[in-house]
Amino acid sequence: MAVVRVLVTGGAGFIGANFVHQTVADRPDVHVVVLDALTYAGNRASLAPIADRVEFVQGDIADQELVDRLVGGVDAVVHFAAESHNDNSLSQPWPFVQTNIVGTYALLQAVRRHEVRYHHISTDEVYGDLSADEPAFDESTPYNPSSPYSASKAASDLLVRSWVRSFGVRATISNCSNNYGPYQHVEKFIPRQITNLIDGVRPRLYGAGHQIRDWIHVDDHNRAVWEILEHGRIGQTYLIGANNESDNKTVVQLLLAEFGRAADDFDHVTDRPGHDQRYAIDATLLRTELGWAPKYSDFKAGLAATVAWYREHEDWWRPQKAATERAYAAAGERVL
Ligand code: NAD
Ligand code: DAU
């Protein structure tokens, strides 16, 4: 379908802001409306370079009246807004239930009423985790979430599926692996270590650092979202991943090398309770049906570009850094 006006929820967060930047650059005829509550994770500054190209509304996705009005004025919704950090969901689960489940419910009711196309952004974490030799997740893998975060995302996916089946809502879902790139909050693994290294602090690895994530550049994720929005089959789930599994220790050592530091110049810290061991994505359906392929095939180069971005945008991340580290310490993180 040709999209003329799109509502992007969570457009001041990491992936949503990158989606808005990409849309403004590649599709200048699309009118973008951002709905974002500007929680601790949202940042107006992420949209500052394109502020005059975007309509920004500060508000909560669970505000049914507001959402209904905004959805009535667009022809598609791309829903990124969420509480997104596993560690926070372990200390304070309620906002995850409220935003990820109740918020998604409000959006679904609005797209149902206005018959608006809806794309739901989800995560590979809904499938639980894998041992080293299990095959990667695909669209038929049963749901088996581990944390309050992934359970709330799984619940929201199931609401979407039922709104398709019961009410004929024109929705698609994508479940993506771990993203990296510009504008990611310093609470997350890669930006936390980059900004530690800029500050001369040792990177912090949970436990032994053997957990594996399947890293994808945020721009590749967002190009896949546009493919699905325009050409995906209604009711279909697509998995998004770039075949780039790496354990956490290797990622830290790539970053240390980028800063010219020794490979053992990091700390092991308290592990995450219930820590998922491995995520891996089989994106065959997306590749064969929609012809998508990642552009960032060199992880080392993608990380180097991300390091350069954080070096050049200290004004963007510095205001959050000290409070984020204080929160980790208050949650009991300590060097092992
Ligand atoms: P983020 O935490 O960086 O951004 C979330 C945004 O949502 C923020 O701008 C925040 O202000 C906004 N928000 C939160 N609650 C809201 C509410 N009630 N109403 C309106 N806005 C609200 O998250 P992210 O990493 O950009 O993730 C975006 C989406 O992608 C999430 O749905 C997440 O589950 C999914 N996802 C993330 C990754 C990843 O690696 N980061 C991978 C796969 C899927
Ligand atoms: O897989 C997709 C998911 O990826 C998304 O759904 C989530 O929104 C996103 O936050 C991310 O979840 P993770 O829990 O995998 O990401 P995080 O950046 O928190 O951690 C990545 C790995 O690094 C994980 O194994 C925990 C570890 N870690 C994390 C931090 C913050 C560390 O070793 N040290 C750290 O300081």
Side-chain angles (χ1 to χ4, degrees):
M1 71 171 281
V3 176
V4 180
R5 294 176 65 88
V6 64
L7 176 66
V8 180
T9 72
F14 164 45
I15 306 177
N18 279 285
F19 181 83
V20 174
H21 278 268
Q22 189 180 100
T23 302
V24 163
D26 295 353
R27 295 158 202 271
D29 296 338
V30 174
H31 180 82
V32 179
V33 183
V34 167
L35 171 61
D36 197 296
L38 295 180
T39 67
Y40 82 93
N43 194 338
R44 267 313 275 273
S46 304
L47 297 173
I50 48 169
D52 57 339
R53 307 277 306 275
V54 175
E55 191 181 329
F56 184 85
V57 179
Q58 182 171 359
D60 191 331
I61 54 164
D63 178 342
Q64 187 76 72
E65 219 179 286
L66 171 66
V67 161
D68 198 69
R69 179 165 59 75
L70 294 176
V71 169
V74 297
D75 40 37
V77 174
V78 182
H79 175 34
F80 291 95
E83 287 292 336
S84 70
H85 193 34
N86 271 298
D87 292 326
N88 293 343
S89 82
L90 298 168
S91 54
Q92 267 200 307
W94 170 247
F96 290 75
V97 174
Q98 169 64 22
T99 285
N100 299 358
I101 304 177
V102 179
T104 297
Y105 162 80
L107 283 163
L108 285 170
Q109 286 292 72
V111 294
R112 174 188 174 196
R113 197 165 104 77
H114 294 284
E115 298 183 5
V116 164
R117 173 81 169 87
Y118 173 85
H119 181 70
H120 186 72
I121 303 292
S122 191
T123 169
D124 57 0
E125 295 194 21
V126 300
Y127 300 111
D129 63 353
L130 299 164
S131 59
D133 48 3
E134 277 180 293
F137 305 131
D138 66 22
E139 287 74 10
S140 65
T141 305
Y143 275 33
N144 186 26
S146 316
S147 72
Y149 162 65
S150 50
S152 66
K153 292 296 293 186
S156 70
D157 292 11
L158 297 181
L159 289 181
V160 178
R161 289 183 183 192
S162 73
W163 258 246
V164 171
R165 169 113 184 212
S166 302
F167 306 124
V169 161
R170 289 178 299 131
T172 40
I173 300 176
S174 54
N175 297 77
C176 188
S177 59
N178 284 63
N179 286 218
Y180 71 97
Y183 298 113
Q184 188 169 28
H185 195 281
V186 292
E187 71 187 352
K188 300 285 166 53
F189 179 50
I190 288 178
R192 186 182 186 201
Q193 315 315 333
I194 293 174
T195 52
N196 277 352
L197 284 162
I198 291 173
D199 280 347
V201 172
R202 282 155 75 95
R204 310 205 115 198
L205 206 48
Y206 290 177
H210 296 323
Q211 288 79 15
I212 293 170
R213 298 292 182 263
D214 193 351
W215 293 99
I216 182 172
H217 193 279
V218 64
D219 287 344
D220 283 332
H221 178 182
N222 283 329
R223 285 189 309 100
V225 170
W226 265 111
E227 281 298 332
I228 296 165
L229 187 62
E230 292 186 320
H231 306 296
R233 267 178 293 138
I234 297 304
Q236 183 62 46
T237 286
Y238 295 88
L239 267 59
I240 306 175
N243 281 340
N244 183 36
E245 288 184 59
S246 183
D247 69 29
N248 295 338
K249 187 170 162 188
T250 303
V251 174
V252 159
Q253 290 179 329
L254 286 170
L255 293 174
L256 283 165
E258 191 59 35
F259 280 81
R261 305 257 294 255
D264 61 354
D265 195 6
F266 62 85
D267 287 325
H268 291 283
V269 297
T270 326
D271 206 352
R272 172 184 286 171
H275 200 165
D276 278 344
Q277 176 54 37
R278 171 177 168 243
Y279 307 140
I281 291 274
D282 176 350
T284 303
L285 181 67
L286 177 71
R287 286 173 181 264
T288 53
E289 190 179 300
L290 300 181
W292 171 90
K295 284 189 177 163
Y296 287 80
S297 48
D298 181 344
F299 187 38
K300 209 169 150 223
L303 279 182
T306 306
V307 168
W309 189 89
Y310 279 88
R311 283 191 198 274
E312 286 157 19
H313 293 82
E314 188 166 339
D315 55 331
W316 182 85
W317 59 264
R318 177 63 69 194
Q320 274 83 44
K321 181 66 179 168
T324 302
E325 290 305 319
R326 274 198 304 276
Y328 274 118
E333 182 180 289
R334 60 180 179 82
V335 175
L336 298 175

